[in-house]
Amino acid sequence: MDLGRPPLARFPSGDFLLSHRPISFDDLKHATSQVGDFGADNRAGISRTLHRISAIRNRKGVIVGLTCRVGRAVPGSANLLQDLVKDGGSLLLIGPPGVGKTTVIREIARMLADDYKKRVMIVDTSNEIGGDGDIPHPGIGSARRLQVPNQDVQHKVLIEAVENHMPQAIVIDEIGTKLEAMAASTIAQRGIQLVATAHGVTIENLIMNPSLEMLVGGIQSVTLGDEEANRRGVQKTVLERKGPSTFTCAAEIVSKTELRVHRSLEATVDALLAGKPPNVEIRKLGTKGLVQEVSVQKEQSHIAIYEDATPFDGDSLRNARRSLDSAFNLDSAEGHTERSDEAESSLNLYAYGAVLDLRVNCLASH
């Protein structure tokens, strides 16, 4: 709602005109009278709901526009991350604005409190996770929440949550300053499971952000000796991770139905600093709420598993391996066959084609 313009409803598919009549000061005054008080961050809410109203002010501080976002608790929105949440490691969610980070972190808080029976404290920056008002929205389950009076003191509220309320897990939305990153690092070192979000598209954005690089362990420039530089095959001055990462794992939210999961955040950062592609799990949510695809990307290779994929014929696969073994005396293949039978959901890739080409070339040269 902007002064002097017709109101618009914005959807992923496009904008929808609500009325041809331009918004007046009376319309804005009536709308603001129906919501809570605006804080220093120009945000307000509606009690017992997850809706968020943000104000646009002129130079005199008068409201001349409103952005009203509809908030909903979506059960199952964190299903793609359930195994990581259950493991108890600290989890960092990364994504651009509007991609659904707050919805996912709200469901994770409910999951930790209700499904895994943990003492969960939510540090709610602008009441987006637990909703406006003194009574939290049912979407967070039995998790408790601490409201932040001013965003400048959010790092103090984080430490207060640890020292006063004995949590087993802490959930925080939008870590954005160096003080908040330091507080998060302190919490993780005390053995408390930390679930947080940060603005960015990929892990590289955090590495390049001076305020948030501490979340991934910090970055420092290191000068190598001649021998070590030659051994690594790099220049004498390289970038390395300064210390342990605050978070165990991370997830880049591509869309509401797709994630890029880094199971080891430290390994990902080390690979990126070394100029190598990291190991990434790409997870997609199917129409039935189940994981439709799990793929592993390593050294720019890609393996995908689909729901409707044709199952492998185990006998045919084993017979093919025995034929190749007898032809080329590959003793290790049988061991791989036995191990692959133990895990029904795993997929092993055997590069026999590469071995065959190598042996044919060797025979041809002789």
Side-chain angles (χ1 to χ4, degrees):
M1 299 172 62
D2 290 327
L3 182 66
R5 296 180 178 179
L8 292 176
R10 292 182 170 174
F11 301 95
S13 57
D15 296 349
F16 179 78
L17 189 65
L18 296 177
S19 172
H20 292 283
R21 185 175 63 86
I23 295 295
S24 65
F25 273 116
D26 291 337
D27 296 326
L28 293 173
K29 185 177 180 180
H30 175 73
T32 54
S33 67
Q34 304 299 311
V35 302
D37 297 330
F38 287 89
D41 56 357
N42 280 318
R43 290 181 177 182
I46 302 175
S47 183
R48 305 295 297 274
T49 74
L50 299 174
H51 308 318
R52 178 65 46 218
I53 294 87
S54 303
I56 300 175
R57 299 179 185 269
N58 62 14
R59 293 169 64 104
K60 298 180 180 179
V62 179
I63 295 177
V64 295
L66 294 174
T67 301
C68 310
R69 289 182 288 174
V70 177
R72 293 173 295 176
V74 183
S77 58
N79 283 353
L80 291 175
L81 299 170
Q82 187 171 1
D83 58 328
L84 303 180
V85 175
K86 185 179 180 180
D87 288 344
S90 294
L91 173 63
L92 177 64
L93 304 179
I94 306 168
V99 79
K101 297 189 300 296
T102 304
T103 302
V104 173
I105 205 171
R106 183 186 300 116
E107 177 65 8
I108 289 177
R110 186 209 60 78
M111 186 185 298
L112 286 169
D114 292 353
D115 297 346
Y116 303 124
K117 308 301 179 183
K118 290 191 175 183
R119 298 189 302 272
V120 181
M121 290 297 301
I122 299 173
V123 177
D124 212 350
T125 309
S126 54
N127 290 353
E128 284 197 86
I129 300 178
D132 208 44
D134 295 331
I135 301 177
H137 188 273
I140 66 172
S142 58
R144 306 172 73 190
R145 70 104 174 254
L146 282 174
Q147 299 187 43
V148 181
N150 190 324
Q151 192 168 2
D152 295 336
V153 298
Q154 178 165 275
H155 61 284
K156 296 182 180 179
V157 179
L158 277 169
I159 302 300
E160 175 189 336
V162 177
E163 294 177 346
N164 293 354
H165 303 286
M166 299 179 299
Q168 294 173 306
I170 286 184
V171 176
I172 177 175
D173 199 11
E174 296 184 9
I175 294 179
T177 67
K178 194 166 188 177
L179 290 174
E180 294 166 7
M182 293 174 62
S185 178
T186 301
I187 291 172
Q189 291 173 5
R190 298 188 185 188
I192 297 173
Q193 184 177 4
L194 182 64
V195 181
T197 67
H199 283 306
V201 180
T202 61
I203 302 296
E204 290 95 323
N205 298 138
L206 296 184
I207 295 176
M208 300 299 293
N209 190 330
S211 299
L212 301 181
E213 67 174 15
M214 183 178 295
L215 299 178
V216 297
I219 309 301
Q220 64 181 356
S221 178
V222 177
T223 302
L224 304 176
D226 293 338
E227 184 178 348
E228 180 66 15
N230 292 333
R231 187 185 68 82
R232 296 190 187 185
V234 296
Q235 298 179 350
K236 294 186 64 175
T237 302
V238 296
L239 294 177
E240 290 187 350
R241 180 167 46 86
K242 187 182 300 184
S245 173
T246 300
F247 296 89
T248 308
C249 49
E252 301 168 357
I253 303 181
V254 180
S255 67
K256 291 180 173 59
T257 58
E258 183 178 350
L259 301 175
R260 291 166 52 88
V261 174
H262 302 264
R263 284 189 171 270
S264 174
L265 184 54
E266 292 184 353
T268 293
V269 174
D270 292 342
L272 291 173
L273 293 178
K276 301 177 181 178
N279 294 347
V280 181
E281 292 183 15
I282 303 175
R283 303 183 179 187
K284 293 184 179 180
L285 196 64
T287 55
K288 299 179 181 179
L290 301 175
V291 177
Q292 184 180 16
E293 177 184 354
V294 177
S295 57
V296 179
Q297 180 179 343
K298 183 176 181 180
E299 299 297 334
Q300 298 179 347
S301 65
H302 188 80
I303 303 171
I305 304 173
Y306 293 89
E307 281 181 337
D308 54 353
T310 304
F312 288 99
D313 185 350
D315 294 335
S316 300
L317 187 59
R318 280 188 290 270
N319 291 335
R321 289 173 185 163
R322 292 193 186 99
S323 299
L324 288 167
D325 295 347
S326 60
F328 299 114
N329 297 322
L330 298 179
D331 299 331
S332 61
E334 190 65 32
H336 287 304
T337 304
E338 295 175 0
R339 285 196 294 272
S340 65
D341 292 340
E342 297 176 359
E344 296 180 357
S345 62
S346 63
L347 174 62
N348 294 327
L349 182 64
Y350 296 86
Y352 285 112
V355 177
L356 179 61
D357 291 340
L358 177 63
R359 292 178 179 269
V360 170
N361 291 333
C362 291
L363 292 174
S365 63
H366 288 291

